[in-house]
Amino acid sequence: MIDSRTDRLLVAALAGVALGALPPWLLRNPFYDGISPAVYYPGQGTGLETWGLATLPLAVLAIGVLVARDGRVATTSATLVGAAATVVALDTASEGVVAPWLLPGPGVAITAASGLAALALVARDRANHRD
């Protein structure tokens, strides 16, 4: 059951990971002055065309685990989802190095920030319980 402030914030962070799957993960770079290919990249429409398709159900599942269970199982699932969301968002953000005509979209920023928030909340919760 969600009864602590940390758990409520963790649900909000995981909801942010789920929400981050919906906006575009890639945008055309308006400052790129070279020739950009007229190719549609997955993620330009919505994050569900790329890694968002994995982060959305994982985040929803982790919220369900957090609501249904308490303790190590809940924080472990939140940690895994937060880490996975952060890694895939940073991987997508690095696309700009390979394809300079693309920029990370708002979905990447929301997913990365929410994933990092989930990791920070779990780390803080574990540090508080260690004392």
Side-chain angles (χ1 to χ4, degrees), residues 19-25 43 45-48 106-108 110:
L19 184 68
L22 303 177
W25 278 37
T46 177
L48 295 175
V108 169
I110 294 169

CSV table of all heavy atoms in Angstrom, one decimal, residues 19-25 43 45-48 106-108 110:
chain,number,residue,atom,x,y,z
A,19,LEU,N,4.5,8.4,-18.9
A,19,LEU,CA,4.1,9.6,-19.7
A,19,LEU,C,5.2,10.0,-20.8
A,19,LEU,O,4.8,10.4,-21.9
A,19,LEU,CB,3.8,10.8,-18.8
A,19,LEU,CG,3.3,12.0,-19.4
A,19,LEU,CD1,1.9,11.8,-19.9
A,19,LEU,CD2,3.3,13.2,-18.4
A,20,GLY,N,6.4,9.8,-20.5
A,20,GLY,CA,7.5,10.1,-21.4
A,20,GLY,C,7.5,9.3,-22.7
A,20,GLY,O,8.1,9.7,-23.6
A,21,ALA,N,6.8,8.2,-22.7
A,21,ALA,CA,6.7,7.3,-23.8
A,21,ALA,C,5.8,7.9,-24.9
A,21,ALA,O,5.9,7.6,-26.1
A,21,ALA,CB,6.2,5.9,-23.5
A,22,LEU,N,5.0,8.9,-24.6
A,22,LEU,CA,4.0,9.4,-25.5
A,22,LEU,C,4.4,10.5,-26.5
A,22,LEU,O,4.2,10.4,-27.7
A,22,LEU,CB,2.7,9.8,-24.8
A,22,LEU,CG,2.1,8.7,-23.9
A,22,LEU,CD1,0.9,9.3,-23.1
A,22,LEU,CD2,1.7,7.5,-24.7
A,23,PRO,N,5.2,11.5,-26.0
A,23,PRO,CA,5.6,12.6,-26.9
A,23,PRO,C,6.7,12.0,-27.8
A,23,PRO,O,7.3,11.0,-27.6
A,23,PRO,CB,6.1,13.7,-26.1
A,23,PRO,CG,6.0,13.2,-24.7
A,23,PRO,CD,5.5,11.9,-24.6
A,24,PRO,N,7.1,12.8,-28.9
A,24,PRO,CA,8.2,12.4,-29.8
A,24,PRO,C,9.5,12.2,-29.0
A,24,PRO,O,9.8,13.0,-28.1
A,24,PRO,CB,8.3,13.5,-30.8
A,24,PRO,CG,7.0,14.2,-30.7
A,24,PRO,CD,6.5,14.0,-29.3
A,25,TRP,N,10.3,11.3,-29.4
A,25,TRP,CA,11.6,11.1,-28.9
A,25,TRP,C,12.7,11.7,-29.8
A,25,TRP,O,13.8,11.9,-29.3
A,25,TRP,CB,11.9,9.6,-28.6
A,25,TRP,CG,11.3,9.1,-27.4
A,25,TRP,CD1,10.1,9.4,-26.8
A,25,TRP,CD2,11.9,8.1,-26.5
A,25,TRP,NE1,9.9,8.8,-25.6
A,25,TRP,CE2,10.9,7.9,-25.4
A,25,TRP,CE3,13.0,7.4,-26.5
A,25,TRP,CZ2,11.2,7.1,-24.4
A,25,TRP,CZ3,13.2,6.5,-25.4
A,25,TRP,CH2,12.3,6.4,-24.4
A,43,GLY,N,10.3,7.2,-33.8
A,43,GLY,CA,10.4,8.1,-32.6
A,43,GLY,C,10.1,9.5,-33.0
A,43,GLY,O,10.0,10.3,-32.1
A,45,GLY,N,7.4,10.5,-34.4
A,45,GLY,CA,5.9,10.7,-34.2
A,45,GLY,C,5.6,10.6,-32.7
A,45,GLY,O,5.0,11.5,-32.1
A,46,THR,N,6.0,9.5,-32.1
A,46,THR,CA,5.8,9.3,-30.7
A,46,THR,C,6.9,8.3,-30.2
A,46,THR,O,7.5,7.6,-31.0
A,46,THR,CB,4.4,8.7,-30.5
A,46,THR,OG1,4.2,8.3,-29.1
A,46,THR,CG2,4.2,7.4,-31.2
A,47,GLY,N,7.1,8.3,-28.9
A,47,GLY,CA,8.1,7.5,-28.3
A,47,GLY,C,7.7,6.0,-28.4
A,47,GLY,O,8.5,5.1,-28.2
A,48,LEU,N,6.4,5.7,-28.6
A,48,LEU,CA,5.9,4.4,-28.7
A,48,LEU,C,6.4,3.7,-30.0
A,48,LEU,O,6.3,2.5,-30.1
A,48,LEU,CB,4.4,4.3,-28.7
A,48,LEU,CG,3.8,4.8,-27.4
A,48,LEU,CD1,2.3,4.8,-27.5
A,48,LEU,CD2,4.2,3.9,-26.2
A,106,PRO,N,11.0,15.8,-26.5
A,106,PRO,CA,10.5,16.0,-25.2
A,106,PRO,C,10.3,14.7,-24.4
A,106,PRO,O,10.5,14.6,-23.2
A,106,PRO,CB,9.2,16.8,-25.3
A,106,PRO,CG,8.8,16.6,-26.7
A,106,PRO,CD,10.0,16.4,-27.5
A,107,GLY,N,10.0,13.6,-25.2
A,107,GLY,CA,9.8,12.3,-24.6
A,107,GLY,C,11.1,11.8,-23.9
A,107,GLY,O,11.1,11.2,-22.8
A,108,VAL,N,12.2,12.1,-24.6
A,108,VAL,CA,13.5,11.6,-24.0
A,108,VAL,C,13.8,12.4,-22.7
A,108,VAL,O,14.2,11.8,-21.7
A,108,VAL,CB,14.6,11.9,-25.1
A,108,VAL,CG1,16.0,11.7,-24.4
A,108,VAL,CG2,14.5,11.0,-26.2
A,110,ILE,N,11.6,13.8,-20.6
A,110,ILE,CA,10.7,13.4,-19.6
A,110,ILE,C,11.1,12.0,-19.0
A,110,ILE,O,11.1,11.8,-17.8
A,110,ILE,CB,9.3,13.4,-20.1
A,110,ILE,CG1,8.8,14.8,-20.4
A,110,ILE,CG2,8.3,12.7,-19.1
A,110,ILE,CD1,7.5,14.9,-21.2
